[in-house]
Amino acid sequence: MDELSGESSPLHSLHAGAKLFVTILYIVLVVSFDRYDFSGMIIMVLYPVLLFQLSGLSAALCFYRLRIVLPLVCAVGLFNPLLDHSVALKLGGVVISGGTVSMLTLMLKGVLCLTASYLLIASTPFDAICSSLAAVHLPAGAITMLLLTYRYISLMMEEISIMLEAYSLRAPGQKGIQFSAWGSFLGQLLLRSMDRAEEIYAAMQLRGYDGSCRYASAGKAKKSDVVYAAAVSALLILCRWVNVAQVIGNLLV
């Protein structure tokens, strides 16, 4: 992600604060759609599509990296068709229930929110994001937690990999971890994480940590950054309150 955020493109050159503001607004607007308003949300797909083109980032790489999280997000509304049998619409002779529409809407919301977050992090150095959050007076403790989580999540994954390798060496031929060992495995991971956290905190204190981190400055916003934030925000708000797909359909009919 750090390598991706260091690339050069029109999106990468924008101020971190502008991109952060637009991303948060986009997520709020996407979440605010009614659960049956699937057609109204279709137009919101254009935002990540255009950003992928503007940044030069690979959409395939994005979905590959989100392959573990996306199924969990899409599973949120799987039971809606079983709980809501009301008729939402008819396509020819096919009746589509409200549960099916709400399920698809929830899935699309999750995919769009994750994609927007990925585009922000992949096009912006994380220190610049933290600096922008500090500029709007977000609590220093919350920003520090975000920064340390981002920096050390890879270290935790490395610890998990070491533990999995050690477990496989003690249980050759066994596929996965037995259910009876899940508790002890997670307990050991928690203890190892706490020990490593204490070591990191001690190292930070020795280097003068006083409760707040120092971030690389995001720099000053340019006119182009303000124009981008204002224009995109206005278009997103317009797309939220006007069902563009319905308007286009009425014009074609």
Side-chain angles (χ1 to χ4, degrees), residues 139-142 144 201 204-205 208-215:
T144 302
Y201 182 65
M204 292 170 64
Q205 285 187 314
Y209 177 69
D210 58 357
S212 61
C213 291
R214 304 292 184 266
Y215 317 105

Side-chain angles (χ1 to χ4, degrees), residues 24-118:
I24 293 176
L25 176 65
Y26 176 79
I27 292 175
V28 170
L29 292 177
V30 167
V31 172
S32 69
F33 275 90
D34 185 78
R35 59 178 177 172
Y36 298 118
D37 195 9
F38 182 78
S39 62
M41 284 189 58
I42 293 297
I43 192 64
M44 305 300 282
V45 177
L46 289 178
Y47 174 77
V49 170
L50 292 176
L51 287 193
F52 275 120
Q53 298 297 322
L54 190 63
S55 64
L57 297 172
S58 170
L61 179 61
C62 168
F63 289 106
Y64 175 77
R65 292 192 169 182
L66 297 176
R67 66 190 183 281
I68 298 177
V69 183
L70 283 175
L72 299 177
V73 172
C74 292
V76 172
L78 283 180
F79 295 101
N80 285 21
L82 303 177
L83 302 175
D84 186 356
H85 299 284
S86 61
V87 178
L89 56 94
K90 294 182 179 180
L91 296 177
V94 180
V95 177
I96 300 178
S97 67
T100 302
V101 175
S102 63
M103 177 189 70
L104 295 176
T105 304
L106 284 173
M107 289 180 175
L108 184 59
K109 284 183 179 181
V111 172
L112 292 180
C113 291
L114 281 175
T115 306
S117 302
Y118 174 86

Side-chain angles (χ1 to χ4, degrees), residues 99 148 237:
L148 294 180
I237 293 173

